[in-house]
Amino acid sequence: MLKLTYYSHSCFLLDNGEHQIIIDPFLTGNPTAPIKADEVKAKFIVATHAHGDHLGDSFPIAKANDGTFIAVNELANYAIEEGVTAHNMHLGGGWQFPFGYLKFTIAHHGSADGKGRYMGNPAGVIIKTGGKTLYHTGDTSLFLDMKLIGETNKIDIMTVCIGGNFTMDIDDAVRAVQFVNPEVVIPMHYNTFPVINADPNEFKSKVEALGKKCIVMDFNKPVTFE
Ligand code: NI
Ligand code: MN
């Protein structure tokens, strides 16, 4: 069983009934966030890259929950400098955590902090927990190697950025779904700011035209995958 909760933008909480993992917890300063950072209960905090709308509240959440921050090496080292417990990883590497397996994938994007300090490669992430395999694309352009991700993993749930401007738009995201071939698709990274406005229902109908299932998740309303 995997219970998935969407906190807007690219932030999802995964709960397998025993462990909670939060990805890209951008809550403070997020005009669409349905909860505050100090309400998050999660021992594992994953950031796909260092941009403020992804790293977000990762460090305070990790500290408040006595948790572990998981990221690529350069970003994890920054967390350690800030007094956060971290597990350093890198692209293509996987690790078996108490909640399950996690592996970082490539993403074509940038990753620096607000002052321009290099924070390693941006990433997507594959997480196997609760009997399901989830692929969160992070922020990325469309790339052909998504085919390889789909061929080497049976993806149950794919969360995919659709907002354009910084990432894939709807049509590129539809192509990404064709490459990865997941069971269920969930759009993300849209309508947080005007520059990434996109209609998730347009995306949903284009995905459904491929014979794929798409869920446009409401904020803070968990969906359970049995
Ligand atoms: Ni970004
Ligand atoms: Mn972003």
Side-chain angles (χ1 to χ4, degrees):
M1 183 282 301
L2 174 62
K3 188 168 83 171
L4 194 65
T5 308
Y6 185 37
Y7 291 136
S8 83
H9 204 57
S10 295
C11 180
F12 291 87
L13 183 82
L14 287 67
D15 185 343
N16 69 3
E18 186 182 359
H19 298 285
Q20 291 75 40
I21 309 110
I22 195 161
I23 308 175
D24 285 355
F26 169 49
L27 301 167
T28 304
N30 172 352
T32 58
I35 62 162
K36 295 201 179 335
D38 60 12
E39 297 174 67
V40 174
K41 295 276 171 278
K43 285 269 187 199
F44 298 94
I45 301 93
V46 181
T48 59
H49 62 294
H51 290 160
D53 60 316
H54 297 262
L55 183 61
D57 301 293
S58 292
F59 297 171
I61 291 171
K63 286 179 180 173
N65 289 273
D66 197 17
T68 301
F69 176 72
I70 304 168
V72 299
N73 190 56
E74 294 82 354
L75 180 51
N77 281 338
Y78 173 47
I80 292 165
E81 279 176 29
E82 295 295 315
V84 172
T85 301
H87 184 105
N88 300 43
M89 298 183 69
H90 229 301
L91 304 187
W95 186 255
Q96 191 70 41
F97 289 92
F99 59 80
Y101 183 80
L102 183 150
K103 181 176 185 175
F104 282 112
T105 72
I106 61 170
H108 290 291
H109 193 65
S111 184
D113 72 1
K115 293 176 181 156
R117 180 178 160 188
Y118 173 68
M119 287 290 163
N121 294 90
V125 64
I126 294 170
I127 298 177
K128 299 183 181 187
T129 188
K132 299 290 172 190
T133 300
L134 178 143
Y135 169 42
H136 182 295
T137 63
D139 278 0
T140 186
S141 68
L142 179 65
F143 58 93
L144 188 59
D145 283 358
M146 284 181 179
K147 277 192 176 176
L148 185 62
I149 292 171
E151 282 170 14
T152 50
N153 301 273
K154 188 192 158 298
I155 304 295
D156 297 301
I157 304 158
M158 176 182 183
T159 68
V160 59
C161 46
I162 69 162
N165 192 73
F166 301 108
T167 70
M168 294 187 283
D169 61 10
I170 286 174
D171 289 327
D172 281 353
V174 170
R175 180 60 73 91
V177 170
Q178 290 178 289
F179 286 166
V180 174
N181 196 29
E183 286 293 316
V184 181
V185 184
I186 296 167
M188 65 177 183
H189 210 271
Y190 63 91
N191 291 355
T192 319
F193 309 106
V195 76
I196 57 168
N197 279 354
D199 178 1
N201 290 310
E202 178 192 337
F203 174 72
K204 180 181 164 81
S205 31
K206 287 181 171 175
V207 168
E208 286 174 346
L210 302 172
K212 289 262 146 224
K213 188 173 176 197
C214 178
I215 302 174
V216 177
M217 286 188 72
D218 292 326
F219 302 159
N220 208 9
K221 286 204 183 137
V223 174
T224 299
F225 297 88
E226 298 294 345

